[in-house]
Amino acid sequence: MRPTVHDIAAAAGVSLATVDRVLNQRPGVRHITREKVENAIRQLGYIRDVAAANLAKGRTYPLVFILPASDNSFMHGLNAEIRQAILRSPVERTDIRTIEVPAFDPSALVSVLEGLSRERPCGIAMVATDAPDVRAAVDRLVRERFPIVTLVSDLTGSLRHHYAGVDNIAAGRTAARLLGRFLGPRKGEIAVLAGSMLVRDHRERLEGFTAVLAEEFPDLAILPVLEGRDDPEVAHRLVTDALSRNAGIVGVYSLGAGNRGLIRALKAKAVDRTLTVIAHELTAHTRAALLDNTIDAILNQDAGHEVRSAIRVLKAKADGLAVIEAQERIRLDIFLKDNLP
Amino acid sequence: MRPTVHDIAAAAGVSLATVDRVLNQRPGVRHITREKVENAIRQLGYIRDVAAANLAKGRTYPLVFILPASDNSFMHGLNAEIRQAILRSPVERTDIRTIEVPAFDPSALVSVLEGLSRERPCGIAMVATDAPDVRAAVDRLVRERFPIVTLVSDLTGSLRHHYAGVDNIAAGRTAARLLGRFLGPRKGEIAVLAGSMLVRDHRERLEGFTAVLAEEFPDLAILPVLEGRDDPEVAHRLVTDALSRNAGIVGVYSLGAGNRGLIRALKAKAVDRTLTVIAHELTAHTRAALLDNTIDAILNQDAGHEVRSAIRVLKAKADGLAVIEAQERIRLDIFLKDNLP
DNA sequence: GATTTTTTGATTTACGTACATCAAATTTGG
DNA sequence: CCAAATTTGATGTACGTAAATCAAAAAATC
């Protein structure tokens, strides 16, 4: 049977109250007594029953999700997953609130973070915008002992406890290899459609992509990046233009959102030629395009996994518990038309 | 605040004891009283606090994992993950026991299943061997209200509650498309190395593989399947022979275990030619082979996810709770050298 | 050595549920 | 209508932990 606080008290030769003081780091325990208790805890292998503790404390986990106010399928999906998580709140003892901030606006994000310092949630998940001020604000909160995880977009170099998202450099590299291998011996140019080079994840994907293409597929040249602002209309125009102007395009890598426009452009322009296309994010549109061979592969991150993982990690950090690293690794999904979920 | 049994009792105008009798389906409640209580439960949206209930009951979840006694990397990995889960037992209130049965031996599996009917674990996870007797035994246990999930290898047509494993037909189809696309315009023959055609997952992978190859890559012909019995030595011999005898081989699909032998054969025999190779299961060997370009892609199922998912599902079923379907879907991982974990 | 301060013990209540017991009320059968 | 059976209520204890109170003991200070 698992040891309880009573067993610890008995083993350490102290009272229950003292064990409680040690366990919950309350004051008024002499150093040597504290050590006696800690030894007993270690020797008996005591593990606090978190469920019982939460019951006694009436604990809930107030969590805050900070999201950019972006109007694209991925963010909509992320929001939907957070709503699902809110529905599970009673069971998981969470109390989740989302805050929308203007996209690509570091100062807005910083002021929200500063506001949270007063609200004192027990955990913060945020889609990071990569800027020094944001990093500083995050570090400040971490030093104030707030658990913080970045979601989808990381803030490297900051003190955030965890990143719930995919490795975007690896994603870009994978896209390049798939494209290169699918094209085989063919030579030509590659069009890259991004949202904005101001976003870290897009920059990283491009970085990985160009690196592998340069190293291993020297016959494929990357055209200047098209910045579609994750907007289907803009994407449509840019891709249509590029295809018209450049007959040597053999492949397309769409590393951001706004794929609806890309797909429309491809269907109109590329009926005759055989383009190889890799896109990010599985949505109703990209799924259909994959099935009708307009797109050859989709790279995806599962927003549901990211949200659930962020919640698990924040709760664990709030309780000072360990996380199962392998479980919390967000994988890059590669979908061909055969393995769609 | 979440409603409690007290709120239900007050709302239904009955005593706590009666609410308890209804909740735990104890006898001695008139039909109309039971309905009053059930209405109150529905109206207040009462959800039993599983943590508190488990605390009160001193509940643990005795689970049994039934595994084939196969000596290959994947099964070793699966075992290791189960051991990890056992380490988490105190926290998760599980009590996990594994039973090894001879591989490919339906009757051994059936007798183990029958034995469990007396032991009464609160859930069973099993790597199924596909046979009518096994199906019958599983169905019998399900009718006796045992939660059962199949692990890695499914038992379609049975009443098992859940399958924690990948869609092997999809895996085979994916392998075929990757191979076909990687080979591009090249024509030639494809060698397929399987463990045994007696195993359902191998049969299904082959089925998916041949289907896509036939439909979409008619220039690629499949050679007679090599049955390596998941044994590196046998695999080595078979692949070496095949490569010697057949100069037209342009690709290899290894859908089972024993990849160590395959890799050795490839390195010895295929230095001169450019084979495209797709293999299953990420192990130290296949990982190294992927990195040194001996293998082009690895399809993988994450044993850790499968084990954790099986445990979550069994616990939920034992408590009569819903599972998050999307969370429990085991994905087919596709690894290129760029997105290795 | 007396006094103050700090540390420790003993005890109680609470969290939400399970489960057991016994008494009281209600229904059913004869 | 009475007895027997069934249904319901009231109450208490338990699970493992948190948190509070007050008394007692020990240590530190003068």
Side-chain angles (χ1 to χ4, degrees), chain A residues 90-102:
Chain A
V91 179
E92 299 178 348
R93 308 186 87 90
T94 53
D95 176 13
I96 299 172
R97 190 166 86 84
T98 66
I99 301 180
E100 288 220 328
V101 294

PDB file of all heavy atoms in Angstrom, chain A residues 90-102:
ATOM      1  N   PRO A  90     -14.908  20.938 -15.846  1.00  0.00           N
ATOM      2  CA  PRO A  90     -15.342  20.397 -14.566  1.00  0.00           C
ATOM      3  C   PRO A  90     -14.589  19.130 -14.199  1.00  0.00           C
ATOM      4  O   PRO A  90     -14.244  18.930 -13.027  1.00  0.00           O
ATOM      5  CB  PRO A  90     -16.833  20.122 -14.763  1.00  0.00           C
ATOM      6  CG  PRO A  90     -17.172  20.489 -16.149  1.00  0.00           C
ATOM      7  CD  PRO A  90     -16.031  21.205 -16.756  1.00  0.00           C
ATOM      8  N   VAL A  91     -14.335  18.284 -15.171  1.00  0.00           N
ATOM      9  CA  VAL A  91     -13.655  17.026 -14.875  1.00  0.00           C
ATOM     10  C   VAL A  91     -12.184  17.257 -14.571  1.00  0.00           C
ATOM     11  O   VAL A  91     -11.608  16.604 -13.706  1.00  0.00           O
ATOM     12  CB  VAL A  91     -13.807  16.041 -16.064  1.00  0.00           C
ATOM     13  CG1 VAL A  91     -13.086  14.747 -15.773  1.00  0.00           C
ATOM     14  CG2 VAL A  91     -15.278  15.801 -16.347  1.00  0.00           C
ATOM     15  N   GLU A  92     -11.596  18.203 -15.287  1.00  0.00           N
ATOM     16  CA  GLU A  92     -10.149  18.393 -15.147  1.00  0.00           C
ATOM     17  C   GLU A  92      -9.793  19.464 -14.123  1.00  0.00           C
ATOM     18  O   GLU A  92      -8.629  19.796 -13.953  1.00  0.00           O
ATOM     19  CB  GLU A  92      -9.552  18.762 -16.522  1.00  0.00           C
ATOM     20  CG  GLU A  92      -9.765  17.677 -17.569  1.00  0.00           C
ATOM     21  CD  GLU A  92      -9.213  18.060 -18.930  1.00  0.00           C
ATOM     22  OE1 GLU A  92      -8.876  19.244 -19.138  1.00  0.00           O
ATOM     23  OE2 GLU A  92      -9.118  17.167 -19.796  1.00  0.00           O
ATOM     24  N   ARG A  93     -10.819  20.047 -13.496  1.00  0.00           N
ATOM     25  CA  ARG A  93     -10.625  21.095 -12.490  1.00  0.00           C
ATOM     26  C   ARG A  93      -9.926  22.326 -13.057  1.00  0.00           C
ATOM     27  O   ARG A  93      -9.272  23.066 -12.327  1.00  0.00           O
ATOM     28  CB  ARG A  93      -9.836  20.576 -11.281  1.00  0.00           C
ATOM     29  CG  ARG A  93     -10.388  19.319 -10.662  1.00  0.00           C
ATOM     30  CD  ARG A  93      -9.633  18.944  -9.378  1.00  0.00           C
ATOM     31  NE  ARG A  93     -10.191  19.617  -8.222  1.00  0.00           N
ATOM     32  CZ  ARG A  93     -11.168  19.133  -7.459  1.00  0.00           C
ATOM     33  NH1 ARG A  93     -11.698  17.965  -7.731  1.00  0.00           N
ATOM     34  NH2 ARG A  93     -11.618  19.810  -6.431  1.00  0.00           N
ATOM     35  N   THR A  94     -10.043  22.515 -14.341  1.00  0.00           N
ATOM     36  CA  THR A  94      -9.441  23.702 -14.939  1.00  0.00           C
ATOM     37  C   THR A  94     -10.471  24.820 -15.026  1.00  0.00           C
ATOM     38  O   THR A  94     -11.677  24.589 -14.913  1.00  0.00           O
ATOM     39  CB  THR A  94      -8.941  23.410 -16.363  1.00  0.00           C
ATOM     40  OG1 THR A  94     -10.003  22.834 -17.120  1.00  0.00           O
ATOM     41  CG2 THR A  94      -7.769  22.450 -16.343  1.00  0.00           C
ATOM     42  N   ASP A  95      -9.968  26.004 -15.235  1.00  0.00           N
ATOM     43  CA  ASP A  95     -10.836  27.169 -15.378  1.00  0.00           C
ATOM     44  C   ASP A  95     -10.135  28.038 -16.416  1.00  0.00           C
ATOM     45  O   ASP A  95      -9.269  28.835 -16.098  1.00  0.00           O
ATOM     46  CB  ASP A  95     -10.956  27.857 -14.012  1.00  0.00           C
ATOM     47  CG  ASP A  95     -11.767  29.129 -14.103  1.00  0.00           C
ATOM     48  OD1 ASP A  95     -12.426  29.345 -15.139  1.00  0.00           O
ATOM     49  OD2 ASP A  95     -11.711  29.928 -13.145  1.00  0.00           O
ATOM     50  N   ILE A  96     -10.508  27.799 -17.676  1.00  0.00           N
ATOM     51  CA  ILE A  96      -9.720  28.337 -18.781  1.00  0.00           C
ATOM     52  C   ILE A  96     -10.345  29.587 -19.369  1.00  0.00           C
ATOM     53  O   ILE A  96     -11.544  29.653 -19.609  1.00  0.00           O
ATOM     54  CB  ILE A  96      -9.588  27.265 -19.897  1.00  0.00           C
ATOM     55  CG1 ILE A  96      -8.859  26.045 -19.334  1.00  0.00           C
ATOM     56  CG2 ILE A  96      -8.856  27.835 -21.100  1.00  0.00           C
ATOM     57  CD1 ILE A  96      -8.838  24.865 -20.273  1.00  0.00           C
ATOM     58  N   ARG A  97      -9.493  30.554 -19.580  1.00  0.00           N
ATOM     59  CA  ARG A  97      -9.932  31.819 -20.142  1.00  0.00           C
ATOM     60  C   ARG A  97      -9.014  32.106 -21.315  1.00  0.00           C
ATOM     61  O   ARG A  97      -7.819  31.827 -21.247  1.00  0.00           O
ATOM     62  CB  ARG A  97      -9.741  32.895 -19.077  1.00  0.00           C
ATOM     63  CG  ARG A  97     -10.340  34.229 -19.377  1.00  0.00           C
ATOM     64  CD  ARG A  97     -10.366  35.039 -18.075  1.00  0.00           C
ATOM     65  NE  ARG A  97      -9.109  35.739 -17.846  1.00  0.00           N
ATOM     66  CZ  ARG A  97      -8.824  36.925 -18.387  1.00  0.00           C
ATOM     67  NH1 ARG A  97      -9.688  37.513 -19.173  1.00  0.00           N
ATOM     68  NH2 ARG A  97      -7.679  37.522 -18.126  1.00  0.00           N
ATOM     69  N   THR A  98      -9.569  32.624 -22.407  1.00  0.00           N
ATOM     70  CA  THR A  98      -8.684  32.984 -23.515  1.00  0.00           C
ATOM     71  C   THR A  98      -8.670  34.498 -23.654  1.00  0.00           C
ATOM     72  O   THR A  98      -9.657  35.179 -23.391  1.00  0.00           O
ATOM     73  CB  THR A  98      -9.133  32.364 -24.856  1.00  0.00           C
ATOM     74  OG1 THR A  98     -10.378  32.947 -25.218  1.00  0.00           O
ATOM     75  CG2 THR A  98      -9.300  30.873 -24.739  1.00  0.00           C
ATOM     76  N   ILE A  99      -7.528  35.003 -24.057  1.00  0.00           N
ATOM     77  CA  ILE A  99      -7.379  36.437 -24.304  1.00  0.00           C
ATOM     78  C   ILE A  99      -6.882  36.582 -25.732  1.00  0.00           C
ATOM     79  O   ILE A  99      -5.914  35.927 -26.118  1.00  0.00           O
ATOM     80  CB  ILE A  99      -6.345  37.065 -23.348  1.00  0.00           C
ATOM     81  CG1 ILE A  99      -6.771  36.839 -21.895  1.00  0.00           C
ATOM     82  CG2 ILE A  99      -6.186  38.552 -23.634  1.00  0.00           C
ATOM     83  CD1 ILE A  99      -5.799  37.432 -20.887  1.00  0.00           C
ATOM     84  N   GLU A 100      -7.551  37.399 -26.506  1.00  0.00           N
ATOM     85  CA  GLU A 100      -7.087  37.641 -27.872  1.00  0.00           C
ATOM     86  C   GLU A 100      -6.254  38.916 -27.888  1.00  0.00           C
ATOM     87  O   GLU A 100      -6.629  39.927 -27.288  1.00  0.00           O
ATOM     88  CB  GLU A 100      -8.268  37.810 -28.818  1.00  0.00           C
ATOM     89  CG  GLU A 100      -8.999  36.518 -29.103  1.00  0.00           C
ATOM     90  CD  GLU A 100      -9.419  36.419 -30.573  1.00  0.00           C
ATOM     91  OE1 GLU A 100      -9.702  37.460 -31.176  1.00  0.00           O
ATOM     92  OE2 GLU A 100      -9.434  35.285 -31.101  1.00  0.00           O
ATOM     93  N   VAL A 101      -5.133  38.843 -28.587  1.00  0.00           N
ATOM     94  CA  VAL A 101      -4.326  40.051 -28.759  1.00  0.00           C
ATOM     95  C   VAL A 101      -4.133  40.267 -30.262  1.00  0.00           C
ATOM     96  O   VAL A 101      -4.143  39.303 -31.031  1.00  0.00           O
ATOM     97  CB  VAL A 101      -2.940  39.932 -28.077  1.00  0.00           C
ATOM     98  CG1 VAL A 101      -3.087  39.854 -26.579  1.00  0.00           C
ATOM     99  CG2 VAL A 101      -2.188  38.734 -28.605  1.00  0.00           C
ATOM    100  N   PRO A 102      -3.981  41.501 -30.678  1.00  0.00           N
ATOM    101  CA  PRO A 102      -3.700  41.759 -32.093  1.00  0.00           C
ATOM    102  C   PRO A 102      -2.483  40.945 -32.519  1.00  0.00           C
ATOM    103  O   PRO A 102      -1.520  40.806 -31.762  1.00  0.00           O
ATOM    104  CB  PRO A 102      -3.384  43.255 -32.135  1.00  0.00           C
ATOM    105  CG  PRO A 102      -4.031  43.818 -30.912  1.00  0.00           C
ATOM    106  CD  PRO A 102      -4.024  42.739 -29.880  1.00  0.00           C
TER     107      PRO A 102
END
